[in-house]
Amino acid sequence: MYWRFRRHRLAVVCTFIVVFFYIVALFSETISPLDPNKVSNLYKYAPPQAIEFLDKDGNFSFRPYVLGFKSSRNPETLRITYVPDPTKRFPVRFFVPGEKYMFWGLWPSDIHVIGLGPDAPANTPFHLLGTDRLGRDMLSRIVYGARISLSIGLIGVTLSLVFGILLGGVSGYYGGWIDAVIQRIIEFIRSLPTIPVWMALAAAMPPKWPPDYVYLGITIILSLLGWTGLARVVRGRFLALREEDFVLAARLSNCSEPRIIFRHMVPSFASHIIASITLAVPGMILSETSLSFLGLGLRPPVISWGVLLQEAQNIQTVALFPWLLIPGAAVILIVLAFSFVGDGLRDAADPYGR
Amino acid sequence: MIAYTIQRLLLAIPTLFVISLLSFVLIQLPPGDFLSSYAATLAALGEQLSGDTLALLRESYGLDQPIYVQYYKWITGIVTRGDFGLSLEWKQPVKALLWERMGLTIALTLSTLLFTWLLAIPIGIYSATHQYSPLDYVFTTIGFIGLGVPGFMLALVVMWIAFIYFGADVGGLFSDQYKNAPWSLGRVWDLLQHLWVPMLILGMEGAAGLIRTMRANLLDELHKPYVTAARARGLDETVLTYEYPVQVALNPFISTLGWALPGLVNGGTIISVTLSLPTAGPLLLRALQSQDMYLAGAFILLLGSLTIVGTLISDLLLAWIDPRIRLTH
């Protein structure tokens, strides 16, 4: 299966993208250059700073630089505009001490993968993707948002998988009227417009809940309607395998039912399940983003990509500060990458299918 | 065919019943009944609702009765009188707010469906008959982007581009002078002029999926022996493609109609919030946020019924076109 997957070049490339995103999510404290919640009055809606490879004298150097800002107030609109100031040049350093943080809330540390280092004067701007309305660093927020958005995808799919395997397995293995009932339920859920139902369920969560309850609640809501696809796959496989000779042989050798299911049947369709899971994750991520975007999902101060995109709801704001849309680019990238990996896995798992 | 139609119709009734039950449960889910949240809103505005008034209101809505009685009152009101209850936020009957928005939602959904088909079928046929041609790659790439980009992102980007380069606001479905005007020919024309932007955005996702299906189906079909046999007998290539393979490949279009509708309603809800269209989406969102539960319940019930009726129609269409389906039942 691995060798067949290797042949799907795009899927292999996308696997690296997915892994990269998850590494970012895992080590977001270290990777983010700044504290995502730190408000800066000096640099509100500051544009992204470009990384340059020219030093003070205009010569090429391997050490990249960022330019400081010259801020001025537009006399007509009274808005502050930021223009890169070529006289202020700050070297970018890697693995430097910066703001203190607790890694995973456990170990104190102050090392950041990228930063200006302790030599830079205080209040030097370092916003590679600009800042938002309160002057918070977009790059750091996107990095932290990855942790929430991506983990919701994984946990939601895991929950749907539990539902899916349980109900799909029961449905396919026993058949008969149980199968008929579960199939009706699946058909019913599939014919529901999920977004309005999700919206209603999400709105039913008490607004006073602490963020981690909301996080859990959203995940459960998403998987409550999301398990049907996986259940269908599992049921189909069960139906097909039930008739196989090796299952009959196992039954004749007096194997218990759980043993038949978990020892003999599940391994033979595990690859299908993995492919289906991979294809289900982007849907979960999109759903969370959509719900949070509408203001019904996660709410600030929690940082997820959907919450970040909420800031971009107003078109006038987006027209002036287009970098607010960057979290959307992250969503698109991860969703596309996941879809391609899933496609590749499915092709590798099932060479005769389609 | 008649037997199958009746059977299918009978099956739809319990489904509609479950939908109504679900909508009602969703209405009841938020903690506290809507009168207490109404009283809280009033209190926040500085008005006080006396205990007597509250009790009176409670009785007139049947809130003091067990839940199944409440459900019975609610559903019989809808079925017999078309009465969806009262919107507390807008202080008018729900049905006064409902129908124009639902009408526009259905108009948007159906026109998008037509649009995706008109777009996807020719492109799918072209991609399959010209497999691996440059245009095929272009369409495949666009298709993948359409699948991966969430609708509201697309809506945001389109709005942004329109705002920057054309200085136009593409949100809404009507120009200012027609926004609150009664229906007239001019208003319909105005609607048609605005409808295409959300239609394009909403249709992108569905069309992308359909193009892929159409292409894959037709490719399967084109390599079957009967096509080769027909070609060997010197049949014209156009006739050869359109006479049989295309018609067979179109089959899944109708069978997936039932799934396409929930998808369109889903996408439409979010996109209409983003583009602030006067359809069901934004009002549903507001109703949910302010716990205006009769209004929200009515929208969920109607949107759910819309997809169920859609599935029903697609099943019947499929049975009508494909005799194998109606005969196995």
Side-chain angles (χ1 to χ4, degrees):
Chain A
M1 178 164 167
Y2 171 70
W3 285 104
R4 275 209 297 271
F5 183 71
R6 280 277 305 268
R7 287 223 305 268
H8 202 310
R9 294 260 167 227
L10 194 56
V12 176
V13 174
C14 287
T15 313
F16 283 110
I17 298 180
V18 170
V19 170
F20 171 75
F21 267 88
Y22 272 95
I23 289 176
V24 167
L26 209 58
F27 300 105
S28 45
E29 286 98 342
T30 312
I31 287 171
S32 79
L34 296 166
D35 180 354
N37 292 317
K38 194 182 152 204
V39 176
S40 152
N41 284 323
L42 278 173
Y43 301 102
K44 286 176 181 166
Y45 283 132
Q49 284 166 288
I51 291 184
E52 294 191 4
F53 286 93
L54 298 174
D55 65 10
K56 281 199 175 67
D57 313 318
N59 298 323
F60 178 83
S61 82
F62 274 114
R63 177 159 300 291
Y65 288 88
V66 289
L67 296 182
F69 284 127
K70 203 158 49 186
S71 57
S72 60
R73 200 174 275 277
N74 185 324
E76 277 169 42
T77 56
L78 295 179
R79 232 170 13 84
I80 298 179
T81 47
Y82 300 95
V83 186
D85 182 356
T87 58
K88 286 187 243 166
R89 219 173 257 282
F90 305 105
V92 176
R93 296 175 198 284
F94 298 95
F95 296 100
V96 287
E99 284 162 344
K100 288 189 171 47
Y101 57 85
M102 297 290 278
F103 187 68
W104 291 350
L106 296 175
W107 302 289
S109 169
D110 62 351
I111 297 295
H112 293 264
V113 169
I114 186 168
L116 290 178
D119 306 340
N123 283 327
T124 310
F126 184 62
H127 307 294
L128 295 179
L129 296 179
T131 61
D132 69 356
R133 153 176 74 83
L134 295 174
R136 294 172 293 196
D137 181 42
M138 283 301 282
L139 177 60
S140 307
R141 289 176 76 74
I142 292 172
V143 166
Y144 272 84
R147 176 172 281 182
I148 302 282
S149 291
L150 295 182
S151 66
I152 273 206
L154 276 196
I155 297 176
V157 163
T158 315
L159 276 178
S160 337
L161 187 68
V162 173
F163 281 125
I165 287 193
L166 218 65
L167 290 163
V170 165
S171 184
Y173 190 77
Y174 293 105
W177 67 270
I178 302 178
D179 184 34
V181 168
I182 292 178
Q183 286 311 302
R184 286 292 92 70
I185 296 175
I186 290 181
E187 272 170 30
F188 174 72
I189 293 182
R190 285 197 85 111
S191 70
L192 281 180
T194 40
I195 293 276
V197 177
W198 271 331
M199 282 163 69
L201 284 172
M205 281 193 301
K208 289 187 207 84
W209 271 13
D212 39 344
Y213 274 48
V214 175
Y215 174 85
L216 211 69
I218 292 285
T219 332
I220 292 174
I221 288 173
L222 290 184
S223 47
L224 219 54
L225 297 183
W227 57 272
T228 53
L230 285 170
R232 279 187 111 105
V233 176
V234 173
R235 171 179 174 266
R237 292 277 93 199
F238 261 106
L239 280 181
L241 286 175
R242 203 168 52 164
E243 313 297 330
E244 290 282 335
D245 289 341
F246 73 89
V247 175
L248 186 67
R251 188 165 297 139
L252 289 178
S253 339
N254 206 14
C255 287
S256 66
E257 291 216 330
R259 191 179 160 83
I260 297 179
I261 293 177
F262 289 106
R263 189 88 191 107
H264 295 278
M265 291 172 86
V266 170
S268 66
F269 63 76
S271 53
H272 281 264
I273 301 277
I274 293 170
S276 310
I277 292 175
T278 322
L279 285 171
V281 174
M284 288 277 167
I285 294 176
L286 274 184
S287 312
E288 182 277 322
T289 314
S290 312
L291 273 182
S292 304
F293 175 74
L294 291 177
L296 289 172
L298 300 166
R299 279 179 289 262
V302 178
I303 305 168
S304 84
W305 290 342
V307 173
L308 294 181
L309 281 173
Q310 236 182 310
E311 301 259 330
Q313 250 180 3
N314 186 337
I315 198 65
Q316 266 87 13
T317 326
V318 174
L320 289 172
F321 319 111
W323 52 92
L324 291 179
L325 283 177
I326 295 174
V331 174
I332 294 170
L333 196 61
I334 191 77
V335 164
L336 277 179
F338 253 117
S339 310
F340 283 124
V341 173
D343 267 352
L345 282 175
R346 190 181 52 194
D347 289 354
D350 187 9
Y352 309 111
R354 296 211 291 168
Chain B
M1 182 70 203
I2 295 172
Y4 179 73
T5 312
I6 293 172
Q7 191 194 353
R8 210 50 204 75
L9 278 174
L10 284 180
L11 211 79
I13 292 170
T15 324
L16 283 174
F17 171 70
V18 178
I19 280 270
S20 75
L21 217 58
L22 185 78
S23 321
F24 190 71
V25 170
L26 288 177
I27 303 178
Q28 301 290 331
L29 266 185
D33 58 39
F34 71 94
L35 269 183
S36 46
S37 61
Y38 179 55
T41 335
L42 279 186
L45 290 172
E47 277 179 62
Q48 282 299 330
L49 219 55
S50 74
D52 289 346
T53 336
L54 212 58
L56 206 69
L57 276 171
R58 206 166 283 258
E59 201 187 319
S60 71
Y61 283 110
L63 288 182
D64 44 357
Q65 281 155 328
I67 192 131
Y68 55 87
V69 180
Q70 288 184 41
Y71 170 73
Y72 179 75
K73 276 195 166 179
W74 182 70
I75 196 73
T76 44
I78 291 172
V79 174
T80 54
R81 284 172 279 127
D83 175 16
F84 284 90
L86 203 70
S87 162
L88 287 171
E89 199 191 356
W90 301 80
K91 299 213 175 62
Q92 40 178 316
V94 166
K95 67 176 171 191
L97 298 162
L98 203 61
W99 289 117
E100 180 168 331
R101 294 217 168 219
M102 273 316 286
L104 286 173
T105 308
I106 292 172
L108 176 65
T109 311
L110 290 186
S111 56
T112 309
L113 193 68
L114 266 180
F115 165 73
T116 47
W117 282 24
L118 287 181
L119 196 72
I121 295 176
I123 292 181
I125 293 176
Y126 180 88
S127 278
T129 48
H130 299 74
Q131 197 186 4
Y132 303 134
S133 68
L135 260 183
D136 177 31
Y137 278 117
V138 170
F139 287 136
T140 312
T141 317
I142 294 178
F144 270 118
I145 293 173
L147 278 181
V149 178
F152 68 89
M153 260 320 280
L154 200 61
L156 276 179
V157 171
V158 168
M159 273 167 84
W160 176 46
I161 291 172
F163 191 84
I164 293 236
Y165 292 102
F166 306 107
D169 187 5
V170 292
L173 279 180
F174 297 105
S175 326
D176 285 336
Q177 79 237 38
Y178 285 112
K179 213 164 245 169
N180 295 311
W183 281 102
S184 64
L185 268 183
R187 193 167 190 238
V188 173
W189 178 239
D190 191 52
L191 171 67
L192 289 180
Q193 280 177 329
H194 284 83
L195 197 61
W196 65 273
V197 175
M199 203 170 84
L200 206 70
I201 296 169
L202 186 53
M204 190 70 192
E205 208 177 332
L210 278 179
I211 289 173
R212 283 183 74 188
T213 329
M214 184 72 203
R215 181 174 179 271
N217 284 336
L218 195 56
L219 275 179
D220 281 354
E221 214 53 45
L222 282 176
H223 294 296
K224 284 196 173 160
Y226 75 89
V227 180
T228 318
R231 186 172 292 132
R233 283 169 176 76
L235 211 61
D236 181 47
E237 198 67 21
T238 325
V239 179
L240 186 76
T241 317
Y242 288 93
E243 192 64 23
Y244 291 105
V246 168
Q247 291 186 17
V248 175
L250 277 178
N251 222 354
F253 270 64
I254 299 160
S255 63
T256 55
L257 177 66
W259 295 352
L261 267 179
L264 284 178
V265 170
N266 271 346
T269 310
I270 297 184
I271 288 172
S272 54
V273 172
T274 320
L275 293 174
S276 55
L277 307 179
T279 53
L283 200 59
L284 171 64
L285 179 65
R286 255 196 86 159
L288 284 171
Q289 277 166 345
S290 61
Q291 302 219 340
D292 190 352
M293 289 332 262
Y294 276 124
L295 188 57
F299 272 126
I300 292 173
L301 176 67
L302 287 180
L303 289 176
S305 312
L306 180 68
T307 60
I308 293 217
V309 171
T311 319
L312 178 69
I313 294 174
S314 85
D315 279 1
L316 291 180
L317 266 179
L318 196 65
W320 180 50
I321 285 173
D322 193 342
R324 282 173 300 182
I325 288 166
R326 63 171 181 262
L327 290 180
T328 49
H329 278 77

